[in-house]
Amino acid sequence: MAQVPSTSSGKLNFKDVVINPVNLRCSSLPIFSLRNQYSINFHLSWLGFFVAFLSWFAFSPLIPDVIKTDLNLSSAQVGNSNVISLCATLVVRVIAGPLVDRYGPRKVMVILLILGAIPSGLAGTVSTANGLYIIRFFIGILGGTFVTCQAWTTAFFDTNVVGTANALAGGWGNSGGGFTFIIMIALFNRLVEDGLTPHVAWRASFALVPVPILLSVAVATLVFGTDHPAGRWADRHKAIAAVPEVAIKEDAELASYDSTKHAEKKDGSAEVEVTIAAVQDFNNVSVAVSRPFTTQVAYEVMFNPLTWLPALAYLTTFGYELAIDANLANVLFNLMRSPSFGQTKAGYIAGIFGFLNIFTRPLGGYWGDLIYRRFGVPGKKYLLIAFGVAQGILSLGLGVYIDKHDEPSLTIIIVLFVILAVANEAANGINFSLVPHCNPCSNGFMTGIVGAMGNVGGVVFALVFRFQPTPAGKAFVTSGIIAMVVNVVLLAIAVPAL
């Protein structure tokens, strides 16, 4: 059984700032305070990803009815626009990874938010299907904020809590997909009630919500965020260099550190208690520092099987989630069409899938950290695959139910996709508790590859929904089979003990 470094209590600490002196990363989760750099950067990381959804997924709740009608779109053109949006994010995530390793996640986050705000402001100018494709492609830039979000939290939190930290940031950020459904539909309905035509109201919604929020968060990230626990991104190597040589050797032990130190802020704010934890069993993850992206680095990462374990798993889980977020409202709208069930109700119900990320993805990350303390990295691997297979089984079951009933029960469909969401989103959280153990010296590039493969999966599953006939039962069945087969194959990839 693997022996894994942990805090002295073995439990999550949400109060004290517990620092690993080997790498200056935080071994606790002091996220309920804004008086230390770890919590500030944690909250900025998920907030940047969260607001990206306000534009990236803003079309999804409105496109089944009002946008489709206003632009005279066919169902095929609606599906094409979903695929194009995901393709753009795929490209940006691959590019964002090396940029993160070179310039740090904070600066890349700011750039993506600003670049994404520009096409968001131009969304109201769309008048044709081709125009919609172009705008959604460039808005897809915002999906790259996931890479910066996860790389940022990985840089600030240590191995015993990084799974929970990544999952909390990713889950709270991902919940933006659910909130976007609620916000955009409510705003659109309000504008129509205030006298605007649907033609004008949906266009005004983009100008009123995404643009100012994206720019505001970009400014806050630039002003209040920091690059690395050591300070500037260029100084990240000093975090390791400052530790005595014996401390960074594998299985070495720090013999003496004060158990508690106090740091009083120069600006007169309240004192911050910082507990310095003695850390044992150092490994390559403990002392990893992001290397600048080179051809040699790319070769090593791309041909390492450990890269493709979380990447292919993420293809089946986050890819599935993206396709569901983009298509569920349209599926429900066509499946339950009636005078009492229109765009608004379909959008609100579909938003549940994304909204559940607030709880489900963090739960997956917590389970990943929990099993890591007892079984090491192999525990995370098998837990990830188990949830991926469970997702496949549940998707298959949902599809069979839809196909077998001419008038399926909305209640049963909601119950099934909520259980499905728990398995799917928890798997996403477990995945990014595993990623920091794979190619830890190229965390940005690694995160970019895994994130991009999630979008590859989004395209794959979006195409499944695009070409399967309504009422989409076969699409759920096909998606479930893909998830089960891929995850079973991943059992063959070996992982390190720690």
Side-chain angles (χ1 to χ4, degrees):
M1 185 181 298
Q3 298 298 317
V4 184
S6 64
T7 58
S8 58
S9 66
K11 298 180 180 179
L12 287 178
N13 184 343
F14 290 98
K15 181 180 178 181
D16 301 318
V17 182
V18 183
I19 299 174
N20 180 347
V22 174
N23 52 30
L24 302 185
R25 294 176 189 161
C26 197
S27 297
S28 60
L29 290 169
I31 60 177
F32 298 112
S33 168
L34 290 178
R35 296 192 289 181
N36 64 86
Q37 66 168 338
Y38 299 95
S39 60
I40 290 173
N41 290 295
F42 168 83
H43 288 297
L44 286 173
S45 70
W46 76 258
L47 186 60
F49 185 37
F50 179 95
V51 299
F53 277 96
L54 295 179
S55 179
W56 186 25
F57 271 48
F59 282 97
S60 296
L62 300 178
I63 207 168
D65 188 10
V66 61
I67 297 177
K68 182 179 180 181
T69 300
D70 189 41
L71 300 181
N72 296 314
L73 301 175
S74 66
S75 295
Q77 288 172 322
V78 171
N80 291 340
S81 72
N82 289 334
V83 172
I84 287 171
S85 175
L86 296 174
C87 286
T89 303
L90 187 162
V91 173
V92 172
R93 287 185 174 184
V94 172
I95 297 172
L99 290 177
V100 164
D101 285 335
R102 176 66 179 85
Y103 300 105
R106 181 179 69 101
K107 294 184 179 70
V108 179
M109 173 77 84
V110 170
I111 292 170
L112 291 175
L113 291 174
I114 293 173
L115 290 178
I118 297 171
S120 301
L122 296 174
T125 65
V126 172
S127 59
T128 65
N130 287 336
L132 177 66
Y133 297 159
I134 294 171
I135 286 294
R136 293 201 72 179
F137 180 86
F138 285 103
I139 286 178
I141 290 171
L142 291 165
T145 54
F146 173 74
V147 176
T148 56
C149 167
Q150 298 293 276
W152 205 355
T153 48
T154 298
F156 275 84
F157 292 92
D158 208 12
T159 53
N160 67 305
V161 295
V162 71
T164 306
N166 282 353
L168 279 169
W172 291 357
N174 244 31
S175 70
F179 280 102
T180 297
F181 277 75
I182 297 170
I183 292 169
M184 294 303 289
I185 289 175
L187 179 59
F188 169 78
N189 289 340
R190 179 57 186 269
L191 292 174
V192 171
E193 290 172 4
D194 288 345
L196 295 182
T197 64
H199 171 82
V200 175
W202 78 262
R203 299 166 190 274
S205 299
F206 278 85
L208 291 172
V209 173
V211 178
I213 294 178
L214 288 170
L215 294 177
S216 296
V217 173
V219 171
T221 301
L222 196 60
V223 173
F224 299 109
T226 51
D227 292 339
H228 190 273
R232 298 182 309 160
W233 187 250
D235 295 333
R236 64 193 184 279
H237 297 278
K238 297 179 181 178
I240 303 301
V243 180
E245 184 178 351
V246 67
I248 64 174
K249 291 181 179 178
E250 188 171 355
D251 298 326
E253 179 178 351
L254 287 181
S256 62
Y257 275 95
D258 292 337
S259 62
T260 304
K261 297 194 176 188
H262 296 277
E264 187 169 352
K265 290 195 170 185
K266 302 297 183 182
D267 60 5
S269 60
E271 186 180 79
V272 179
E273 183 174 323
V274 182
T275 304
I276 305 296
V279 180
Q280 298 178 342
D281 296 325
F282 300 124
N283 53 58
N284 62 338
V285 180
S286 300
V287 296
V289 178
S290 292
R291 297 175 294 177
F293 182 77
T294 64
T295 303
Q296 180 61 29
V297 168
Y299 179 85
E300 292 174 5
V301 173
M302 294 294 288
F303 286 91
N304 185 348
L306 274 175
T307 300
W308 301 105
L309 169 59
L312 291 173
Y314 207 57
L315 180 150
T316 66
T317 56
F318 188 65
Y320 184 84
E321 181 182 350
L322 285 175
I324 294 299
D325 282 340
N327 289 281
L328 188 56
N330 198 42
V331 168
L332 293 174
F333 182 76
N334 291 318
L335 193 63
M336 300 290 173
R337 186 185 290 271
S338 71
S340 62
F341 193 95
Q343 172 183 271
T344 298
K345 194 169 184 178
Y348 283 148
I349 293 173
I352 295 172
F353 202 95
F355 181 77
L356 285 170
N357 271 290
I358 293 177
F359 312 103
T360 52
R361 189 160 183 154
L363 193 59
Y366 172 72
W367 285 336
D369 284 340
L370 200 63
I371 203 166
Y372 173 68
R373 295 184 187 118
R374 184 170 178 82
F375 299 105
V377 180
K380 289 186 177 183
K381 167 192 165 180
Y382 291 118
L383 187 65
L384 171 63
I385 291 172
F387 272 84
V389 172
Q391 171 201 303
I393 294 172
L394 289 163
S395 181
L396 188 151
L398 176 60
V400 169
Y401 174 76
I402 292 173
D403 274 348
K404 295 290 185 180
H405 296 80
D406 294 331
E407 296 183 2
S409 166
L410 179 61
T411 301
I412 293 177
I413 289 177
I414 291 174
V415 170
L416 286 174
F417 87 65
V418 165
I419 298 172
L420 171 58
V422 173
N424 168 259
E425 293 161 8
N428 291 332
I430 298 166
N431 194 302
F432 271 85
S433 74
L434 176 63
V435 167
H437 301 276
C438 308
N439 302 299
C441 291
S442 302
N443 180 57
F445 187 41
M446 179 69 195
T447 302
I449 290 175
V450 177
M453 288 301 290
N455 274 79
V456 170
V459 172
V460 170
F461 291 120
L463 288 172
V464 169
F465 279 89
R466 160 72 174 78
F467 289 107
Q468 291 287 352
T470 56
K474 288 183 174 60
F476 286 105
V477 170
T478 303
S479 299
I481 293 172
I482 292 172
M484 286 187 286
V485 170
V486 172
N487 278 278
V488 169
V489 169
L490 294 177
L491 285 168
I493 300 179
V495 296
L498 294 178

